[in-house]
Amino acid sequence: MSCITRSKKEILKNSTLIPTGETRKVDTTPFDFRNGKPINKHIDLPNEQLSYGKGYDHNFVLNDFPKREDGLVFAAKAVEPNSGRVLEVFTNEPGLQFYGGNFLNGKIIGKSNKPYIFRSAFCLESQHFPNSPNQSDFPSTILKPNDIYISTCVYKFSTVNESKN
């Protein structure tokens, strides 16, 4: 499975996986998915952030431009080369959490009685930055009375041949 995102920054976490408020450019790090690469390509490299999360469990700062007509921005694209399945993610949220199943241990049983095992799945979740209420440099998550909050995330599924159109 390969993944692509235009994100230029990741949010750093401490050893208990709480975001510190610091962001770092993804250039020359295992977190650089801008040109697309297999998810597992750099997952086991020596890297403090990867070791904290036992792999990918990080929020990426999304670019807010270019926006589509509906106001959403491209967040990520995942391609499964054997089947040709494609997943594209668009959102109005400022961040994308990428979790690689690093804490799955086979104890949870899923569909068809199959256990969820270590790194057997991944999630792409659009959201505000974790720990935003405690980080003054992060986008605010405060919702005042009478304010309206609308979060939109579109997951577009296709195949390799369809996504070329």
Side-chain angles (χ1 to χ4, degrees), residues 46-120:
N47 176 283
E48 181 179 65
Q49 289 296 301
L50 287 173
S51 69
Y52 287 162
K54 299 182 183 179
Y56 295 109
D57 188 6
H58 292 79
N59 197 272
F60 288 82
V61 177
L62 297 177
N63 304 322
D64 31 340
F65 185 81
K67 287 187 178 171
R68 301 183 332 167
E69 274 185 28
D70 58 8
L72 304 180
V73 297
F74 170 77
K77 179 178 182 178
V79 178
E80 204 297 307
N82 294 327
S83 68
R85 290 177 292 188
V86 177
L87 165 65
E88 294 174 284
V89 183
F90 303 89
T91 185
N92 66 340
E93 292 288 353
L96 183 75
Q97 185 75 19
F98 173 31
Y99 171 63
N102 315 316
F103 294 98
L104 298 175
N105 59 12
K107 292 182 180 179
I108 298 173
I109 305 300
K111 190 175 180 179
S112 300
N113 211 29
K114 302 277 185 190
Y116 295 140
I117 58 176
F118 181 67
R119 294 186 182 158
S120 61

Side-chain angles (χ1 to χ4, degrees), residues 136-156:
S136 60
D137 289 338
F138 284 3
S140 177
T141 55
I142 295 173
L143 188 64
K144 296 179 181 170
N146 300 315
D147 282 354
I148 296 173
Y149 171 71
I150 298 174
S151 177
T152 303
C153 182
V154 173
Y155 294 98
K156 178 184 172 189

